[in-house]
């Protein structure tokens, strides 16, 4: 109790000093923050400081930070309303947010005040920070992009709402047992979420199934009206998203599914307890769990229900807000921009048409003009298996009115395309319906046709869209595709994840880069300065030591922080080619054993990433990495020259420790298959050198950092295409590379799995027989590139010079730049 009383009485004495402070300093005043924290602890958490545990302190402190956000949030919202600003709505089935405590504190510039306040209360901020659940409402890059965009939209002053689903269970927690991935549910909401505000007033009815009623008006025109057979309630939960320096605050609105009637009392009273609740469970299941697949579509009915659920709720909310403010839909496209993050919200095209035509009585053509003007669509993948399609009969059954609307859009589209003189072949490709083997709705085409702009996420990806997935649509609508190269928020990925480097940068080039990351260029001359390089290297070593602790804690393996940290962390997928990396690692292991006294560069090979639970090939690669680690790490012959570790449960919080600790960043996808990548950018910002293919945003990284400062290897997208046309022979390729053949033979003979010699038969056979992702074809180029990195490592001055230049030249990859481009060229909204 002593703390409480001293905090309160001293607050009186502080009043005068307090009045003299500037507003920002006033907010960051430790004495006041301490009083606020104690008040929250008592009145919101209900705990006396004497008995409060670490979680109580965290909750109390989060609630204090949240209060500081709320004032600004209301001011932002009020100002957007008053100035009649156009609002951007970012529809995304995934938001991979991670923890918010440090992010919010940093953006409000409260970190020093709160750290001191807590320390005076005997609370270690770094300890309680780790207790916040990591909100993983997404799978990987796509969801993380949405989270970076939310922060950047607030930072550059774009009034925005993110719309998604408040999943009870986010992405699974990954454990490694016996070397294999095991999935456990992640219950991030177990103790509630202190950041969110439930909104009783924002609730919408979402329909499913039923039929369409057509009525004839007095003038002969018809009105369609959907009579759903089943209804579910969507209720809103808002989380404020605060931009850098706390100037603007936007809203992330996540929908939760509730039954329209929680229980059928007549059934319950008659003794049918399960039956009484079955409807309720069916409704709730919509927001129960995130689909844990990445880059491939599960294609299950519940997924389509999720997609329609959040799309419909969001559009109803958008129209309600617009009509409340303007009382007319005439200016809808001037005040509303809706971005569809991938095809998951593609039903927005049909749902917005239904709302405008059936509910608001607009004529079709007028509604269509507005729909196209409002909507835009971001494509994230060229993998054919990841392009969503849904069976026509499923859509017809679940959303009968939407299916009619899609047919009408399609009929008009095909008429226009035909009239414009395009061939039958083109007609067939642009159609919203795939007529081959069971009719399916093409969600990519639906999104493309319903949007005024369609963007890819890196230059190469946008170019490839024009000649692959959307070749024919691009011929018909040549102005629609545009590129918006991804970015990452420098607040989370530089300032918060790498405080040591941030401090060094501030001391060296001043604070300017914190408001404009392009100012990192001022660092360039320091790359040649040995004293600066030494400080830069010291920060890196400190970050590596921190990661070494995490590795030891999670895997039991001890690694040497002075070795080269060579890191590949991302979702596990064959196109990302973690197997190319581990196969080359085995070859290196063989070479070290054959020639132990050569001048090898000591390496720690770090892997992390989750595999979709049903993706056995990706899980097999995880197991191989762990099995290889088991052998290599226990082989005294390699001494400390090589270690192989797999860090379990990769998520945003892990990434924040991993990225700043990398010397070498592995970005080695088969060229043409990684749309952009954003992990590559996070690594580069912290000064890692990239070894990578000419794929995704690696291409633009090459342009920015310069060919001397990035190691590009392997086939280009064009060469990949040419090889596939010519016919690729993996068998002959492998036979021609003795080192690779030795590796594959070793794996197949059970060297890494003595208790189960056949464990990797599937993996090895698939390389011999198809090698769809061209691992063997790029193997020698990759090996040669790695040996060049070894040589460079021995020249630490040269390595660190390049590392500094990477940090100096990565500023362009800030998501602030990306958002400014969307704002100007797609949304038509001003930025500050
Ligand atoms: C950045 C990030 C990704 C995306 O990584 P890529 O290498 O671009 O695939 C995935 N997951 C997490 C947790 C991330 O932070």
């Amino acid at each position: 109790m002593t703390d409480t009383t001293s905090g309160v009485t001293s607050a009186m004495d502080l009043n005068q000093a307090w009045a003299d402070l500037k507003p920002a300093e006033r907010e960051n005043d430790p004495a006041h923050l301490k009083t606020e924290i104690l008040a929250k602890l008592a009145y919101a958490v209900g705990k006396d400081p004497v008995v409060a545990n670490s979680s109580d302190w965290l909750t109390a402190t989060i609630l204090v930070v949240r209060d500081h956000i709320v004032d600004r949030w209301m001011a932002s919202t009020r100002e957007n309303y008053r100035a009649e600003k156009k609002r951007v709505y970012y529809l995304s089935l995934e938001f991979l947010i991670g923890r918010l405590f440090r992010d919010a504190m940093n953006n409000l510039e409260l970190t020093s005040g709160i750290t001191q306040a807590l320390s005076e209360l005997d609370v270690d901020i770094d300890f309680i920070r780790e207790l916040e659940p990591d909100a993983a409402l997404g799978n990987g890059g796509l969801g993380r992009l949405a989270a970076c965009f939310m922060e950047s939209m607030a930072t550059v002053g774009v009034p925005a709402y993110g719309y998604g689903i408040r999943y009870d269970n986010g992405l699974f927690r990954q454990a490694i047992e016996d070397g294999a991935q095991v999935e456990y549910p992640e219950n991030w909401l177990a103790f509630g979420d202190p950041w969110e505000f439930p909104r009783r007033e924002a609730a919408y009815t979402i329909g499913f199934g039923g039929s369409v009623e057509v009525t004839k008006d007095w003038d002969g025109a018809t009105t369609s009206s959907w009579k759903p057979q089943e209804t579910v309630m969507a209720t809103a939960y808002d989380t404020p998203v605060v931009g850098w320096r706390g100037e603007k605050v936007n809203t992330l609105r996540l929908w939760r599914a509730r039954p329209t009637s929680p229980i059928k009392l007549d059934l319950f009273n008659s003794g049918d307890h399960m039956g009484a609740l079955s409807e309720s469970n069916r409704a709730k299941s919509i927001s129960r769990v995130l689909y844990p697949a990445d880059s491939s579509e599960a294609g299950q009915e519940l997924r389509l229900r999720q997609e329609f659920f959040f799309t419909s709720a969001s559009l109803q909310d958008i129209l309600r807000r617009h009509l409340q403010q303007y009382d007319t839909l005439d200016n809808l496209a001037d005040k509303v921009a809706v971005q569809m993050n991938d095809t998951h919200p593609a039903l927005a095209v049909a749902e917005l048409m239904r709302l405008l035509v059936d509910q608001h009585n607009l004529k079709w053509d007028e509604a269509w003009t507005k729909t196209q003007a409002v909507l835009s669509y971001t494509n994230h993948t060229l993998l054919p298996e990841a392009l969503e399609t849904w069976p026509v009969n499923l859509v017809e059954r679940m959303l009968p009115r939407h299916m009619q609307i899609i047919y009408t859009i399609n009929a008009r589209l095909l008429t226009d395309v035909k009239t414009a003189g395009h061939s039958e072949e083109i007609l067939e490709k642009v159609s919203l319906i795939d007529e081959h083997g069971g009719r399916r709705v093409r969600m990519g085409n639906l999104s493309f046709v319903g949007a005024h702009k369609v963007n890819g996420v890196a230059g190469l990806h946008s170019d490839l869209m024009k000649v692959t997935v959307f070749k024919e649509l691009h011929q018909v609508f040549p102005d629609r595709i545009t590129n918006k190269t991804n970015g990452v928020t420098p607040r989370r990925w530089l300032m918060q994840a790498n405080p040591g480097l941030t401090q060094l940068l501030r001391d060296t080039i001043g604070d300017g880069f914190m408001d404009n990351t392009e100012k990192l260029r001022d660092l360039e001359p320091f790359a040649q300065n040995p004293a600066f390089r030494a400080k830069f290297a010291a920060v890196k070593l400190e970050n590596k030591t921190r990661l070494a602790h995490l590795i030891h804690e999670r895997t039991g393996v001890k690694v040497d922080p002075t070795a080269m940290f060579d890191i590949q962390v991302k979702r596990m997928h064959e196109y990302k080619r973690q197997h190319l990396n581990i196969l080359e690692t085995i070859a290196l292991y063989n070479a070290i054993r054959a020639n132990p006294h050569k001048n090898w560069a000591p390496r720690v090979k770090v892997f992390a990433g989750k595999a979709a639970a049903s993706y056995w090939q990706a899980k097999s690669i995880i197991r191989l990495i762990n099995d290889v680690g088991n052998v290599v790490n226990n082989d005294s012959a390699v001494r400390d020259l090589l270690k192989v570790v797999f860090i379990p449960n990769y998520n945003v919080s892990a990434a924040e420790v991993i990225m700043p600790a990398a010397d070498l960043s592995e970005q080695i996808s088969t060229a043409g298959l990684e749309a952009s990548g954003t992990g590559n950018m996070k690594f580069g910002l912290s000064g890692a050198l990239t070894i990578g293919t000419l794929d995704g945003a690696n291409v633009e990284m090459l342009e920015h950092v310069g060919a001397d400062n990035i190691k590009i290897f392997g086939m280009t997208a064009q060469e990949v295409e040419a090889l596939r046309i010519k016919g690729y022979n993996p068998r002959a390729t492998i036979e021609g590379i003795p080192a690779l053949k030795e590796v594959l033979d070793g794996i197949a003979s059970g060297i890494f799995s003595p208790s189960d010699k056949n464990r990797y038969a599937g993996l090895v056979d698939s390389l011999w027989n198809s090698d769809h992702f061209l691992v063997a074809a790029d193997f020698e180029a990759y090996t040669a590139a790695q040996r060049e990195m070894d040589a460079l490592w021995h020249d630490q001055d040269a390595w660190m010079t390049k590392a500094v230049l990477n940090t100096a030249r990565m500023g362009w990859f800030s998501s602030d730049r990306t958002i400014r481009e969307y704002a100007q060229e797609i949304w038509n909204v001003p930025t500050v």
Side-chain angles (χ1 to χ4, degrees):
M1 278 313 285
T2 49
D3 272 340
T4 321
T5 42
S6 72
V8 172
T9 50
S10 63
M12 302 288 291
D13 309 330
L14 278 166
N15 271 352
Q16 190 48 51
W18 172 248
D20 297 338
L21 293 172
K22 290 192 222 119
E25 292 166 344
R26 194 177 295 174
E27 281 201 53
N28 195 25
D29 176 63
H32 269 78
L33 287 167
K34 194 165 132 185
T35 315
E36 289 174 41
I37 292 169
L38 286 168
K40 282 292 177 207
L41 189 69
Y43 301 115
V45 182
K47 279 283 181 82
D48 188 311
V50 181
V51 295
N53 64 25
S54 299
S55 298
D56 297 328
W57 285 112
L58 175 66
T59 306
T61 314
I62 285 178
L63 292 175
V64 167
V65 174
R66 197 180 77 162
D67 281 1
H68 286 253
I69 298 176
V70 166
D71 296 334
R72 296 151 189 265
W73 192 18
M74 289 176 177
S76 286
T77 309
R78 219 178 292 127
E79 171 58 15
N80 296 339
Y81 191 87
R82 189 204 58 77
E84 303 193 340
K85 288 192 186 168
K86 184 172 186 175
R87 297 184 182 92
V88 171
Y89 297 100
Y90 197 83
L91 268 60
S92 180
L93 208 46
E94 302 192 8
F95 287 92
L96 189 51
I97 302 163
R99 293 178 177 138
L100 282 177
F101 178 48
R102 186 168 60 175
D103 186 59
M105 233 175 5
N106 173 67
N107 280 8
L108 292 170
E109 298 173 90
L110 293 178
T111 308
S112 61
I114 289 198
T115 306
Q116 194 183 327
L118 285 173
S119 120
E120 285 172 22
L121 293 162
D122 262 343
V123 178
D124 177 359
I125 190 166
D126 290 327
F127 182 79
I128 64 168
R129 199 168 58 72
E130 303 275 319
L131 300 175
E132 185 182 2
D134 182 291
L137 309 184
N139 277 288
L142 176 151
R144 185 53 233 174
L145 184 76
C148 282
F149 278 6
M150 287 305 297
E151 200 264 3
S152 275
M153 287 191 283
T155 294
V156 306
V158 169
Y161 284 76
Y163 278 118
I165 295 181
R166 182 181 176 276
Y167 302 104
D168 296 333
N169 294 105
L171 187 59
F172 64 86
R173 181 170 61 80
Q174 177 196 55
I176 302 297
E177 296 176 8
D178 265 345
Q181 168 175 301
V182 183
E183 303 91 24
Y184 292 99
E186 181 80 279
N187 192 1
W188 72 294
L189 288 171
F191 298 99
D193 173 10
W195 294 108
E196 72 181 10
F197 292 86
R199 300 296 191 202
R200 262 169 224 281
E201 73 283 7
Y204 299 94
T205 306
I206 313 298
F208 293 101
S211 57
V212 180
E213 220 167 69
V214 182
T215 49
K216 257 210 167 64
D217 300 345
W218 60 272
D219 59 353
T222 57
T223 310
S224 296
S225 168
W226 177 27
K227 306 289 174 208
Q229 181 226 321
E230 177 193 355
T231 56
V232 170
M233 292 306 290
T235 56
Y237 289 74
D238 287 352
T239 299
V241 179
V242 58
W244 171 230
R245 296 206 194 274
E247 310 248 324
K248 288 278 185 297
V249 183
N250 283 327
T251 304
L252 175 61
R253 174 160 281 188
L254 300 179
W255 300 105
R256 182 183 192 193
R258 312 302 300 160
T260 22
S261 59
I263 181 168
K264 288 225 158 26
L265 268 183
D266 47 345
L267 282 184
F268 192 84
N269 292 335
S270 72
D272 180 4
H273 299 146
M274 297 303 273
L277 286 170
S278 72
E279 205 174 287
S280 163
N281 285 334
R282 187 171 153 77
K284 288 183 191 165
S285 68
I286 293 177
S287 58
R288 186 147 302 158
V289 56
L290 165 81
Y291 267 85
D294 182 74
S295 296
S296 72
E297 291 310 323
Q300 291 166 24
E301 189 170 330
L302 179 59
R303 171 73 170 204
L304 188 61
R305 282 166 68 85
Q306 289 186 333
E307 292 183 355
F308 180 67
F309 167 79
F310 101 100
T311 302
S312 174
S314 307
L315 288 175
Q316 291 187 59
D317 199 36
I318 291 166
L319 292 187
R320 189 263 316 148
R321 183 175 301 108
H322 182 85
L323 285 170
Q324 206 163 305
Q325 178 162 12
Y326 299 105
D327 212 20
T328 172
L329 292 171
D330 291 349
N331 60 348
L332 187 71
D334 301 330
K335 299 297 177 189
V336 171
V338 174
Q339 189 70 34
M340 299 183 280
N341 193 25
D342 212 314
T343 54
H344 313 145
L347 284 165
V349 178
E351 174 69 348
L352 186 53
M353 284 300 288
R354 183 185 74 85
L355 293 170
L356 294 178
V357 172
D358 295 357
Q359 295 208 337
H360 296 282
N361 303 313
L362 266 63
K363 293 272 182 289
W364 181 278
D365 287 324
E366 200 189 347
W368 184 243
T369 305
K370 286 196 195 317
T371 295
Q372 277 192 317
V374 163
L375 296 179
S376 41
Y377 155 57
T378 304
N379 171 275
H380 284 272
T381 180
L382 305 173
L383 294 180
E385 70 270 25
L387 279 175
E388 268 187 305
T389 62
W390 291 103
V392 165
N393 58 31
L394 170 62
V395 179
E396 210 145 47
R397 179 160 48 80
M398 190 187 295
L399 302 164
R401 177 58 183 145
H402 299 79
M403 197 61 236
Q404 289 179 350
I405 290 171
I406 291 169
Y407 277 138
T408 307
I409 297 170
N410 201 34
R412 289 173 171 241
L413 168 75
L414 296 180
T415 306
D416 289 351
V417 175
K418 203 170 190 159
T419 312
H422 293 285
S423 67
E424 277 298 319
E425 205 186 322
I426 289 196
L427 244 68
E428 194 241 302
K429 289 279 173 51
V430 303
S431 172
L432 304 187
I433 311 294
D434 182 351
E435 307 279 355
H436 302 281
R439 307 176 69 230
R440 302 178 75 90
V441 183
R442 293 168 167 154
M443 306 309 268
N445 286 24
L446 177 62
S447 308
F448 192 110
V449 167
H452 66 284
K453 286 288 173 194
V454 175
N455 75 285
V457 288
L460 174 66
H461 170 233
S462 298
D463 288 344
L464 289 173
M465 272 166 58
K466 297 179 185 168
V467 292
T468 59
V469 275
F470 295 132
K471 180 168 175 231
E472 293 79 12
L473 278 164
H474 175 62
Q475 275 172 256
V476 176
F477 305 104
D479 299 329
R480 199 160 296 181
I481 294 182
T482 173
N483 177 58
K484 296 286 161 279
T485 300
N486 282 169
V488 298
T489 166
R491 269 74 62 188
R492 184 177 290 265
W493 297 109
L494 179 59
M495 293 166 65
Q496 297 155 42
N498 203 341
L501 179 57
T502 303
Q503 191 56 52
L504 176 61
L505 293 170
R506 295 178 73 177
D507 295 344
T508 310
I509 57 171
D511 285 357
F513 75 93
M514 295 167 80
D515 295 286
N516 174 7
T517 43
E518 305 256 11
K519 292 228 170 89
L520 286 169
R521 286 258 175 192
D522 295 347
L523 196 65
E524 279 188 21
F526 292 90
Q528 311 304 331
N529 176 332
F532 176 78
R533 281 201 308 261
K535 290 185 202 159
F536 192 90
V539 168
K540 182 62 82 180
L541 184 63
E542 194 182 308
N543 294 337
K544 289 166 72 177
T545 306
R546 182 167 54 142
L547 178 58
H549 283 290
L550 182 117
I551 289 171
H552 184 237
E553 201 177 279
R554 296 213 186 159
T555 69
V557 179
K558 286 212 159 112
V559 299
D560 175 2
T562 65
M564 183 201 304
F565 278 21
D566 169 351
I567 307 188
Q568 186 172 21
V569 292
K570 47 183 74 242
R571 283 299 291 243
M572 301 298 299
H573 206 292
E574 286 164 283
Y575 87 80
K576 293 178 180 278
R577 297 202 295 191
Q578 284 94 351
H579 46 346
L580 172 58
N581 188 346
I582 193 64
L583 295 180
E584 201 282 323
T585 303
I586 299 170
L588 174 63
Y589 172 61
N590 292 341
I592 293 175
R593 278 167 53 96
N595 196 353
H597 297 294
K598 201 175 144 184
N599 192 18
W600 301 105
R603 282 196 196 227
V604 179
K605 281 272 181 183
V606 179
F607 294 84
K610 293 174 185 176
S614 58
Y615 189 176
W616 69 267
Q617 194 77 279
K619 293 176 108 171
S620 180
I621 295 169
I622 292 178
R623 188 139 201 209
L624 177 61
I625 293 167
N626 281 295
D627 279 349
V628 170
N630 223 346
V631 171
V632 171
N633 300 342
N634 294 308
D635 185 340
S636 56
V638 302
R639 292 165 289 142
D640 270 346
L641 292 175
L642 184 61
K643 289 273 182 276
V644 178
V645 294
F646 188 96
I647 303 174
N649 202 35
Y650 183 55
N651 60 9
V652 173
S653 300
E656 288 168 10
V657 181
I658 294 169
M659 302 297 181
D663 294 302
L664 189 60
S665 153
E666 300 269 353
Q667 307 299 336
I668 59 177
S669 51
T670 316
L673 295 184
E674 184 71 270
S676 164
T678 49
N680 46 2
M681 302 170 189
K682 301 168 195 164
F683 279 114
L685 260 183
S686 271
L689 272 54
T690 299
I691 182 167
T693 46
L694 266 184
D695 201 14
N698 296 353
V699 177
E700 284 133 300
M701 283 175 62
L702 166 66
E703 286 161 13
H704 280 81
V705 306
D708 283 347
N709 303 303
I710 185 169
K711 186 68 229 167
I712 298 294
F713 73 91
M715 277 183 288
T716 62
Q718 272 186 344
E719 287 165 351
V720 166
E721 166 84 357
L723 180 59
R724 291 199 199 285
I725 290 170
K726 178 177 136 237
Y728 171 52
N729 183 342
R731 191 160 290 274
T733 310
I734 296 169
E735 297 282 5
I737 310 172
L740 176 58
K741 183 168 184 301
E742 186 193 348
V743 168
L744 293 179
D745 289 348
I747 297 170
S749 74
I751 291 181
F752 301 104
S753 55
S755 64
D756 179 6
K757 293 193 185 335
N758 274 330
R759 184 174 291 159
Y760 299 110
L763 187 65
V764 172
D765 287 351
S766 88
L767 289 170
W768 279 107
N769 295 324
S770 70
D771 187 17
H772 182 67
F773 297 97
L774 306 173
V775 166
D778 267 342
F779 188 83
E780 283 184 307
Y782 181 54
T783 306
Q786 288 289 20
R787 298 296 76 79
E788 280 183 51
M789 300 318 285
D790 283 347
L792 186 63
W793 185 254
H794 287 304
D795 183 354
Q796 277 294 303
D797 280 342
W799 183 290
M800 280 301 154
T801 302
K802 293 178 200 289
V804 173
L805 287 175
N806 267 270
T807 296
R809 296 175 178 173
M810 284 298 293
W812 187 78
F813 295 91
S814 162
S815 44
D816 297 349
R817 185 267 314 153
T818 314
I819 286 300
R820 285 204 167 85
E821 291 181 7
Y822 276 88
Q824 271 165 30
E825 294 160 35
I826 298 181
W827 303 329
N828 191 26
V829 297
T831 55
V832 293

